[in-house]
Amino acid sequence: MSVACRRRRSQSLSSLGRDDDGIKEIKGETWEIMEKNLQRLIGNIYRMHRYLLPTLEVEERDEFGKIMKIDKNFPHFETALQNLSKYLHRHHDSKCVVLVDEYDAPMEVAYNYGYYNKALEFLGMLFSSLLKDNSHLHKALVVGVFRIAKTGFLSGLNNLCVNSMASRPFADKFGFAKEEVELLLHRHGVNRPIDIVRLWYNGYRSGNRHHQYALFNPWSVIHLCLKGGLVPYWSDTEGTSRIMKLLPGTSSKFKNDVLQLMCKNAIDVTIGDNIIYETLTTNNDHYIWVLLCDAGYITRNDEGKLIIPNYECWMEWVKWTMPSLCNTKTISTFFCELLMIKGDTGDTNEIKHIENIEGTLQNAIKQFLEFRGSMHGLSEGFYQDVIVSLLFPFDQYNVHSQRDEEKGDEEKGDEEKGDEEKGDEEKGDEEKEEFSIYILPTVRAGFPADGCAMKLKMAAENETVIDASDRAIYQFSMDNDDSKFPDNVVTVWLYAIGFKGEEVHVRMWKKTRKEGEAS
C-alpha cells in the first residue's frame, strides 16, 4: 500500500508496496493476529511520514505518536490512513495518490481461517474512509486478484472504474508478451526454448475480440528467470487453499466439466464478473468458476470458451483431483511408459512396464472417483477421459482421443448392418462404439519414431476385467489403425485395456511398420 502526494517527486511513493511489508503480506490464523499485523502496517506507514510531526496540532501529534507506537488502546486505526492523507495534503499542498496492491489478500486469508466478517468490518472502514468522499484524495489505483463485488468490502465507492483482463485499456498489462519473455530469458541466461516455456506458462487471453493479447504468467516467468527450472510456480499462491476447500462440494456437472478441461477440451460455461465471499459457502458452481478464472487456473480461448491455459495450471488440476499423481516426473514417466522410452523415466521390462501402467491407471481412476463422489454412470468414455487427462501433449507428441460408431452406420450396407445386429446380440451394446487413444509424434520427433494406440473396453456386469481387455484385442483385429500414424512412425505400441470399476487390465504388444507404410 502506498500513500503519496502528486508533487515533491522526492516524496513519491513514500510507502509500503514492498513485498515484505505490504498489505498483501498481512496474514494470521486468528482475527486477533491479523488485527495486530494490520495495526503494525499502519504504524509503519506513519513512521515513514514522521517528518510531518512538527506541522501537526497538539491532539493530532498525540494520535500520530500512538499510531506509530502501535498503542493497543488507540481506538481509531480504521480511520488512520484517512487522517494521514489529510496531514499530507496540508503539508505538501497537494492531494494524495493512493496505490494498493492485492487489496483482497487479507480477505482471502480471513475467509480461509473463518473470521471473514470481523476482517470485513475493519477493512471496510479502512478503505471506505480512505477512498470514499475523501477531499484529500486525488486518485487511487487498487489492484486485486479477485473481482470482489462492491457490496460489503468496497461498498459505495464513488466513480469506481473497473478494468479486468477483458477490458481494452490495460489488456496488455496483465502479463508478459512473447517478446518480453524472450528478452527476460536472454538477460538472465535461461537457455529454454520459447516454445517449451509457452507450453508451461502461456495461454492467457486478455482484451476484447477486436484487440486480443496472448500473455505469459508474469509470476511464473520471473521465477523461471530466477531459478531456471521448468516447474509449477503458481501453485504456491494463496488462492489455492480456498479453491481446494470448495471443489468437493460442487455439482456432478461441474466435476464432469473438470474432467473435460483436464482432457484439454474447451467447455462452454457462462460466468459473471465478480464474486461475493459470503456466497461461497453455498457451493455455487458459478462463483467457483469465477474464482478459478480470476486466479488464472482457467482462461477463455478465441471462441470464448473455458480452457486450462498451460501445463503449469494443468498440473494444479491434477493435484486437486488426483493428488498422488501431481508430480512432473510421475506424469512424464507415465508418458514414457506408454511409448516404452528407455532411460530414467521408463522401464523396458515388459512385465514391470505393464504393472506400472496398470498401477498408475488404477490410482488415477480411484482418486478421480473419490473427487467425483460417485461410481454412478461409469462408461468407456469416462475411462478414456481419465487416461487423456494424464497425457499432456509436449513438443514432440500429440494426443488424440477418438469415439466412433463402429465402422460408421452411414457407411454400412443393409447386409453388413444385418450381420452387425447379430454380432451385437453376442458382443453387447458396448461394442457399438469404439474408444481409442493415440499418441502421435510430430515431425520434430524425427525418424524413426514410436507411436502408441490404445483400445478401451469396460466389462459388462457378467464379465471380468480380463474379458474386457480380450474384447479390446478383438477391436484391434477389426480396425486398421495404420492410417492414423505419420510416416516417421516405425514402432507402434498397442494397448488393449479393460476396466471394471477401479480394476484395470492391460495387454500390450509391439507392431513394427515399414517406412512410409501409412501412405
Side-chain angles (χ1 to χ4, degrees):
M1 180 184 296
S2 301
V3 182
C5 290
R6 289 184 291 159
R7 297 178 186 172
R8 295 274 311 263
R9 194 176 184 89
S10 62
Q11 296 295 336
S12 65
L13 304 186
S14 52
S15 64
L16 305 174
R18 300 193 304 266
D19 286 342
D20 57 346
D21 60 5
I23 194 169
K24 64 182 179 180
E25 297 303 315
I26 297 296
K27 294 179 172 61
E29 295 184 5
T30 66
W31 165 240
E32 289 71 26
I33 295 174
M34 175 174 277
E35 184 179 30
K36 289 179 181 178
N37 289 333
L38 285 166
Q39 292 173 350
R40 187 178 297 112
L41 173 65
I42 295 169
N44 288 340
I45 297 177
Y46 264 65
R47 277 191 290 277
M48 296 179 70
H49 294 284
R50 60 166 58 92
Y51 62 88
L52 295 171
L53 281 168
T55 68
L56 302 179
E57 302 292 336
V58 175
E59 290 184 0
E60 294 173 339
R61 194 179 303 128
D62 180 58
E63 285 193 0
F64 203 105
K66 290 180 179 179
I67 294 171
M68 282 199 302
K69 295 176 182 177
I70 315 175
D71 186 342
K72 64 180 180 180
N73 296 317
F74 182 71
H76 303 302
F77 275 95
E78 298 95 323
T79 58
L81 294 182
Q82 179 194 36
N83 289 333
L84 180 60
S85 69
K86 177 178 69 175
Y87 305 151
L88 287 166
H89 184 191
R90 188 167 63 199
H91 179 77
H92 295 289
D93 192 25
S94 177
K95 292 185 178 182
C96 292
V97 173
V98 174
L99 306 178
V100 185
D101 186 23
E102 294 193 31
Y103 72 94
D104 50 348
M107 296 307 303
E108 170 76 8
V109 175
Y111 176 83
N112 288 337
Y113 284 108
Y115 54 87
Y116 172 82
N117 289 329
K118 291 182 178 179
L120 175 64
E121 183 178 355
F122 183 97
L123 289 166
M125 177 65 72
L126 180 74
F127 283 111
S128 293
S129 64
L130 178 62
L131 304 179
K132 179 183 177 182
D133 298 329
N134 184 356
S135 60
H136 309 288
L137 177 70
H138 169 62
K139 189 179 293 186
L141 175 64
V142 181
V143 179
V145 176
F146 299 109
R147 291 171 287 181
I148 307 300
K150 289 192 294 180
T151 55
F153 188 41
L154 298 178
S155 60
L157 294 187
N158 300 328
N159 303 316
L160 187 64
C161 180
V162 178
N163 290 286
S164 68
M165 288 185 71
S167 306
R168 181 181 173 185
F170 300 99
D172 61 338
K173 304 299 188 292
F174 287 93
F176 292 144
K178 177 183 175 183
E179 296 76 16
E180 294 170 320
V181 174
E182 289 176 323
L183 178 62
L184 286 167
L185 296 178
H186 174 71
R187 290 195 173 180
H188 287 82
V190 178
N191 186 23
R192 299 285 185 178
I194 189 63
D195 287 342
I196 300 299
V197 177
R198 177 184 57 80
L199 280 174
W200 272 84
Y201 307 122
N202 188 248
Y204 297 99
R205 298 288 183 270
S206 66
N208 54 37
R209 61 180 181 175
H210 302 296
H211 296 85
Q212 275 203 350
Y213 301 89
L215 301 177
F216 288 74
N217 184 328
W219 172 277
S220 301
V221 170
I222 289 171
H223 281 76
L224 172 63
C225 291
L226 293 173
K227 301 177 182 179
L230 287 167
V231 297
Y233 295 110
W234 198 233
S235 61
D236 293 331
T237 52
E238 185 69 37
T240 303
S241 59
R242 176 164 42 81
I243 291 171
M244 290 180 69
K245 290 179 181 178
L246 295 170
L247 286 177
T250 53
S251 68
S252 59
K253 181 183 183 307
F254 183 98
K255 291 168 182 174
N256 289 334
D257 284 340
V258 166
L259 188 54
Q260 291 306 306
L261 284 171
M262 294 177 66
C263 291
K264 281 66 72 179
N265 295 324
I267 62 172
D268 193 3
V269 175
T270 301
I271 60 175
D273 291 332
N274 53 44
I275 61 173
I276 303 172
Y277 269 110
E278 294 93 321
T279 63
L280 292 179
T281 55
T282 63
N283 293 322
N284 186 308
D285 291 354
H286 167 79
Y287 288 116
I288 299 173
W289 284 125
V290 176
L291 285 176
L292 289 163
C293 194
D294 286 351
Y297 295 112
I298 51 176
T299 188
R300 298 279 187 187
N301 64 9
D302 293 337
E303 299 175 349
K305 295 183 178 181
L306 295 179
I307 59 171
I308 296 176
N310 50 50
Y311 181 70
E312 177 183 47
C313 291
W314 177 77
M315 284 295 296
E316 197 70 5
W317 282 98
V318 173
K319 182 175 78 174
W320 295 336
T321 57
M322 296 173 277
S324 72
L325 301 176
C326 180
N327 181 287
T328 301
K329 186 174 182 180
T330 301
I331 296 297
S332 62
T333 297
F334 180 61
F335 205 100
C336 292
E337 291 279 4
L338 290 170
L339 292 166
M340 286 292 283
I341 296 174
K342 299 186 178 84
D344 293 338
T345 57
D347 193 324
T348 56
N349 179 292
E350 290 192 11
I351 296 177
K352 181 65 175 175
H353 165 77
I354 291 175
E355 290 176 351
N356 291 343
I357 292 175
E358 288 179 342
T360 300
L361 292 179
Q362 286 173 345
N363 200 359
I365 291 166
K366 178 181 179 180
Q367 291 185 70
F368 198 88
L369 285 173
E370 289 176 358
F371 167 74
R372 193 172 181 240
S374 171
M375 296 273 290
H376 178 71
L378 291 185
S379 66
E380 289 163 350
F382 168 78
Y383 292 114
Q384 183 188 48
D385 287 342
V386 170
I387 296 176
V388 174
S389 74
L390 295 174
L391 300 173
F392 193 91
F394 282 100
D395 189 39
Q396 296 185 353
Y397 289 92
N398 290 319
V399 177
H400 297 280
S401 58
Q402 182 173 310
R403 301 182 184 185
D404 292 332
E405 290 295 328
E406 189 177 358
K407 295 184 181 179
D409 285 343
E410 69 281 357
E411 299 177 2
K412 299 175 183 176
D414 292 337
E415 182 178 349
E416 189 175 358
K417 287 182 180 179
D419 291 339
E420 184 189 79
E421 288 173 3
K422 294 178 183 178
D424 282 346
E425 294 176 3
E426 299 174 0
K427 292 186 287 182
D429 291 340
E430 65 275 4
E431 287 291 347
K432 293 180 180 179
E433 196 169 11
E434 175 192 339
F435 291 82
S436 306
I437 301 171
Y438 300 94
I439 301 177
L440 306 177
T442 66
V443 292
R444 295 185 183 183
F447 179 88
D450 287 1
C452 169
M454 290 174 262
K455 302 289 186 185
L456 317 177
K457 293 296 176 184
M458 185 177 77
E461 187 174 345
N462 61 343
E463 286 184 318
T464 68
V465 69
I466 297 176
D467 294 332
S469 64
D470 286 341
R471 288 195 288 110
I473 293 174
Y474 173 78
Q475 189 74 59
F476 271 115
S477 70
M478 297 294 292
D479 296 338
N480 179 15
D481 289 314
D482 279 339
S483 61
K484 304 280 196 312
F485 293 93
D487 292 347
N488 62 335
V489 175
V490 173
T491 301
V492 181
W493 297 97
L494 305 176
Y495 294 90
I497 309 178
F499 301 92
K500 187 166 188 175
E502 297 177 5
E503 293 183 80
V504 180
H505 187 263
V506 176
R507 302 280 184 85
M508 182 269 288
W509 65 100
K510 179 173 71 171
K511 178 179 179 181
T512 302
R513 303 167 70 246
K514 296 178 182 179
E515 181 179 354
E517 189 173 339
S519 58

